[in-house]
Amino acid sequence: MGITFRKETFRDDFTFKNSPEHIRRFPFPFHEDAYMYAVNIEPHVVGTKGSVLENLIDVDEHYVAEMQDRALVLAEDPLRCQSLPHMTLAGWDLLELLMEQQALGYPEHFTLTRNGDRWRWINRPLGIDDTFTFGDTSTLPYGPMEYITRQSQGDFCILDQRDGNLWMDAGMVTTQADWSLDFDIGMNFFEWHAPVPLAHEKGIFTRALKFLTNIQQGKPARRLNWTMTINPRLDTSPENYHKWGPDRTTVTPENVGDKVHLRVELQSFWRLPRSNGIVFPIRCYLIKMDELVTQPKWARRLHRVIRDLPDELATYKGLTRFRPTLVEWLSKLDDGSATSPGFGPD
Amino acid sequence: MSTGTTKLDVVVSDVVPVNDLVTRFHFRRRDGELLPTFSGGAHVVVEMRDGERTRLNPYSLMGSPLDTREYTISVRRDDVGRGGSLFMHRSVKPGLEMVISYPVNLFSLDLRAKKHLMLAGGIGITPFMAQTAQLAGEGGNFELHYTCRTASLGTYADVLRERYDRRIRLYHDDREERIELDRLLSTQPLGTHLYVCGPAGMINWVRDRAASLGWPSEAVHFEHFAAPQPGLPFDVTLAVSGKTIRVGEQQSLLEAIEAAGVDPPYLCRGGVCGQCETNVISHDGKFIHNDHWLSEEEHRSGCKIMPCVSRFEGRSLVLER
Ligand code: FES
């Protein structure tokens, strides 16, 4: 069996695509015909076979191409990966977590063998076979966090927990929706959330922080977030705004289906055992409108959600420029009939 | 009690008397696998099936986090307490199958510290056993000051002395030795973090002195597992589940809620983690808030209670549970 990894790009000629099976497993984030900001956190447990939740750390057909794109981003800008000195132990925690989960979910692609502190890691899709001493940084080509996150899809923020707060003290962030690790590093939970509108009415963040600081070992949690991106770019960082910002003016009625992408982030939250830190893997899934509307339920629902989105949220998510064109295009696929409850396609 | 923590099925692999008051218990996983990794300062909640009653007590893990073949805890016998420690001493024998929670750490090391200064009183030594083992493995810089009543009640003092030599200072009450706290606190290098675990009086003393000597509160860490205090029985109505229950003299409100078949969340059962926070719908009477979680303002408001340690005296109390 095994996954057939696609050869594709997330820049320049944008050859990124989802196979038909991958369209059906896309984590569509709207369970009803409207969207409201909410702290929608739930336990991160294994879900239906074939869905992105079949394993707690998901590896899919875009794996190899995403890892190549990450290497390109890092070559241009090494500050996308940073770890303050006290976070090395948390990096080892993360290495263990990702190696264990990837090997568990995809034994045909990854193998972890432990012999006391001597570990061997085989990553077949990327052609890696390394033996190293767990806990000894000098036995790996990079620090433990960088080593393993160059081999794992999604961004990773590692948070230190102190004084009843969480501090963004390490991370690998190359596929983000317009925020910057280099700007946020060293900030606490309230500081890095300061720009979110509507949400800081008192209470939401305090409650979210209480929840997160209580995340326990063996009981990860998750939530979905979404935005839209023009062209299948993984790297929409503030540093590269000059590259992707102008894309938003290029949407026309003719190219909506190909250019506009729904970008869904599956964020999970895990307690790390040795360091007592918390890691947020932020896994990004992209789907272009032409692919999404192959599922009629999603087409109808997305039309209603985008049409009725409050203006502040549309602005925050950067949709303002192309929203009218998108809504007009989607409206032709909405016959007004009811949508079934739940996220999945019909 | 699924809403608390994830559970581990273990078997008691050894029970070792340490001195007149303290006994050590060793647990292994029933399936023979390794136990989850943990960090120094973590505790587990041990479930004790004592006849009709289930007691749940938190105990610090005291083994080395580098070795997870077994977990060890040390329990000090409290003859006038609510009975958990007596149950451990009398009824828990090697071979007994028990259930414990996953480790939870509410007293973790600040890994930015240049130096870790640790103060322990009595059985408060247990979290430091794991923390010193962790730091020793990483070449960390620590110093531990340990006060106990007499040399023979200096639980693990000999072990620590042997392992860490001059990094351990001992103080015996019967010899009137006392930590020279002010001098100690005012001669530490910049970047030192202070950790204290012991009786409430000691914790308060250390925190007060540190504050008045200008230590930033972020550099002062304490482990304060207030065991639930006994008190007058009282009645509570649980609005969501529609039950009215009585909280006995020796029972905590949380235990009474659990005994009624409601499954409230908890982590520490000691008033520090915030997990059991519950809204008060109405009350006529006075709260005895024993927790360290709610702010003073929240205590005065009468809108919230931490059922793991807090009590009530009065005519009626309705909670949102
Ligand atoms: S269980 Fe931790 S405060 Fe009540």
Side-chain angles (χ1 to χ4, degrees):
Chain A
M1 273 238 335
I3 306 165
T4 312
F5 298 103
R6 298 181 57 86
K7 271 200 167 47
E8 59 193 359
T9 56
F10 301 88
R11 55 182 71 211
D12 307 321
D13 58 351
F14 297 118
T15 59
F16 167 86
K17 258 202 198 76
N18 288 293
S19 66
E21 311 79 74
H22 266 65
I23 293 175
R24 287 189 65 84
R25 88 198 278 275
F26 187 81
F28 187 73
F30 307 109
H31 63 95
E32 55 186 10
D33 290 354
Y35 172 76
M36 209 24 237
Y37 185 90
V39 186
N40 51 338
I41 303 181
E42 60 178 348
H44 187 37
V45 289
V46 168
T48 354
K49 213 165 160 43
S51 77
V52 301
L53 297 173
E54 178 174 350
N55 291 298
L56 295 184
I57 294 292
D58 181 40
V59 174
D60 68 14
E61 63 181 3
H62 308 297
Y63 175 76
V64 174
E66 278 188 31
M67 293 303 99
Q68 285 163 351
D69 194 70
R70 163 157 294 161
L72 291 174
V73 175
L74 288 170
E76 259 176 35
D77 182 1
L79 293 179
R80 302 298 188 86
C81 176
Q82 297 190 45
S83 174
L84 299 183
H86 63 282
M87 298 302 281
T88 307
L89 186 62
W92 286 108
D93 276 330
L94 181 61
L95 175 138
E96 178 177 36
L97 169 74
L98 291 175
M99 286 185 179
E100 265 183 352
Q101 292 294 328
Q102 295 188 131
L104 182 76
Y106 310 91
E108 63 279 39
H109 299 303
F110 306 97
T111 307
L112 174 65
T113 321
R114 307 171 196 227
N115 183 2
D117 286 353
R118 277 313 264 179
W119 291 23
R120 180 174 176 200
W121 170 244
I122 305 176
N123 177 337
R124 293 180 194 87
L126 297 183
I128 292 170
D129 181 346
D130 283 337
T131 300
F132 60 95
T133 305
F134 187 86
D136 180 352
T137 306
S138 70
T139 59
L140 285 175
Y142 304 100
M145 176 191 73
E146 178 167 1
Y147 178 78
I148 195 58
T149 57
R150 278 177 178 265
Q151 303 177 45
S152 306
Q153 283 172 279
D155 286 342
F156 296 86
C157 303
I158 313 189
L159 314 173
D160 194 25
Q161 182 165 334
R162 313 187 296 264
D163 323 324
N165 209 327
L166 296 171
W167 306 78
M168 179 115 41
D169 285 350
M172 167 66 92
V173 181
T174 67
T175 70
Q176 70 269 47
D178 200 10
W179 68 279
S180 161
L181 174 70
D182 191 39
F183 184 75
D184 285 1
I185 193 132
M187 286 189 180
N188 71 33
F189 186 80
F190 296 107
E191 292 165 343
W192 86 69
H193 278 111
V196 184
L198 298 192
H200 49 204
E201 312 137 34
K202 224 184 145 229
I204 290 195
F205 280 149
T206 315
R207 278 204 304 281
L209 178 65
K210 272 194 187 183
F211 181 87
L212 292 172
T213 51
N214 276 326
I215 292 269
Q216 297 157 54
Q217 220 176 308
K219 272 196 158 180
R222 67 170 171 245
R223 66 183 285 253
L224 284 180
N225 199 8
W226 68 276
T227 182
M228 295 189 119
T229 305
I230 307 308
N231 295 325
R233 275 188 203 277
L234 281 177
D235 175 16
T236 51
S237 58
E239 289 87 345
N240 276 337
Y241 183 80
H242 60 284
K243 293 188 190 152
W244 58 267
D247 285 357
R248 292 191 287 203
T249 61
T250 63
V251 179
T252 65
E254 291 71 42
N255 67 18
V256 175
D258 183 48
K259 270 196 178 274
V260 178
H261 288 70
L262 179 62
R263 175 190 192 100
V264 172
E265 289 178 358
L266 171 64
Q267 309 179 345
S268 55
F269 314 98
W270 309 67
R271 173 72 65 191
L272 296 172
R274 292 174 185 75
S275 58
N276 203 41
I278 291 213
V279 64
F280 292 10
I282 306 170
R283 179 59 203 282
C284 167
Y285 296 90
L286 290 170
I287 191 169
K288 65 178 68 192
M289 290 299 114
D290 280 341
E291 292 170 350
L292 185 127
V293 302
T294 60
Q295 311 301 319
K297 168 180 164 184
W298 287 354
R300 290 200 296 267
R301 183 170 287 169
L302 187 66
H303 168 241
R304 298 165 197 177
V305 168
I306 301 293
R307 181 191 63 197
D308 302 339
L309 202 65
D311 286 338
E312 311 88 300
L313 268 172
T315 311
Y316 171 64
K317 291 186 180 281
L319 315 185
T320 316
R321 292 297 293 250
F322 58 87
R323 175 150 77 150
T325 318
L326 174 63
V327 171
E328 170 65 24
W329 186 81
L330 284 169
S331 71
K332 302 200 179 92
L333 300 160
D334 185 354
D335 57 7
S337 54
T339 53
S340 61
F343 302 92
D346 283 327
Chain B
M1 304 197 190
S2 52
T3 44
T5 51
T6 316
K7 305 292 169 180
L8 294 164
D9 292 324
V10 294
V11 59
V12 178
S13 51
D14 209 354
V15 176
V16 183
V18 179
N19 55 37
D20 283 352
L21 290 177
V22 176
T23 299
R24 183 171 72 238
F25 299 87
H26 296 239
F27 301 106
R28 289 185 180 242
R29 246 169 118 132
R30 284 188 221 166
D31 59 14
E33 297 288 308
L34 291 181
L35 288 153
T37 308
F38 66 100
S39 47
H43 72 266
V44 293
V45 174
V46 177
E47 298 191 8
M48 304 169 214
R49 305 238 173 271
D50 185 2
E52 288 288 275
R53 234 176 121 169
T54 301
R55 305 172 184 278
L56 298 161
N57 279 8
Y59 294 105
S60 297
L61 291 175
M62 53 162 290
S64 164
L66 306 175
D67 179 2
T68 54
R69 277 170 307 175
E70 61 175 17
Y71 283 169
T72 48
I73 60 169
S74 289
V75 178
R76 183 186 185 281
R77 199 184 71 230
D78 183 353
D79 296 319
V80 295
R82 299 158 52 258
S85 69
L86 282 177
F87 176 84
M88 289 299 289
H89 277 247
R90 285 187 191 142
S91 312
V92 175
K93 301 277 184 292
L96 183 68
E97 299 197 331
M98 297 187 84
V99 173
I100 64 175
S101 73
Y102 254 64
V104 172
N105 199 339
L106 301 170
F107 187 52
S108 65
L109 293 167
D110 191 319
L111 296 172
R112 298 170 310 161
K114 301 263 186 324
K115 175 179 172 186
H116 305 268
L117 176 65
M118 301 164 170
L119 307 184
I123 195 66
I125 193 65
T126 52
F128 295 121
M129 298 298 288
Q131 290 187 335
T132 51
Q134 179 177 340
L135 288 173
E138 286 160 21
N141 181 7
F142 68 88
E143 182 179 310
L144 169 66
H145 297 255
Y146 178 17
T147 71
C148 39
R149 281 200 267 158
T150 64
S152 64
L153 291 176
T155 312
Y156 305 117
D158 46 345
V159 180
L160 288 163
R161 234 350 199 320
E162 183 168 329
R163 278 189 201 156
Y164 308 118
D165 190 30
R166 292 159 59 105
R167 291 199 261 183
I168 309 295
R169 303 284 158 76
L170 298 174
Y171 306 81
H172 298 111
D173 293 348
D174 62 343
R175 292 188 214 145
E176 292 182 12
E177 295 161 348
R178 203 170 145 90
I179 301 178
E180 278 185 73
L181 188 60
D182 282 17
R183 196 181 54 81
L184 191 64
L185 293 182
S186 48
T187 54
Q188 293 304 316
L190 220 61
T192 302
H193 278 248
L194 174 64
Y195 305 82
V196 51
C197 183
M202 175 178 184
I203 292 176
N204 294 338
W205 174 55
V206 173
R207 291 180 65 202
D208 283 354
R209 290 316 303 151
S212 52
L213 292 166
W215 279 66
S217 62
E218 310 84 70
V220 180
H221 312 270
F222 53 99
E223 172 89 308
H224 201 147
F225 279 99
Q229 297 300 306
L232 297 175
F234 60 102
D235 293 323
V236 185
T237 303
L238 305 176
V240 176
S241 44
K243 300 185 176 183
T244 295
I245 57 172
R246 163 147 286 223
V247 182
E249 223 169 289
Q250 294 290 335
Q251 205 179 18
S252 73
L253 172 53
L254 179 64
E255 289 166 339
I257 295 174
E258 287 167 344
V262 180
D263 216 6
Y266 66 83
L267 280 184
C268 69
R269 307 182 78 87
V272 294
C273 73
Q275 192 73 350
C276 68
E277 187 178 299
T278 301
N279 291 326
V280 175
I281 292 178
S282 69
H283 71 284
D284 175 7
K286 123 173 175 274
F287 292 101
I288 304 163
H289 289 293
N290 293 319
D291 65 276
H292 298 264
W293 173 257
L294 299 172
S295 64
E296 261 177 55
E297 200 183 311
E298 284 172 315
H299 280 164
R300 275 196 305 269
S301 77
C303 297
K304 290 189 189 300
I305 187 168
M306 308 306 289
C308 62
V309 289
S310 301
R311 302 192 69 89
F312 180 77
E313 278 174 10
R315 306 208 314 187
S316 74
L317 175 61
V318 183
L319 298 181
E320 188 186 6
R321 273 287 176 223

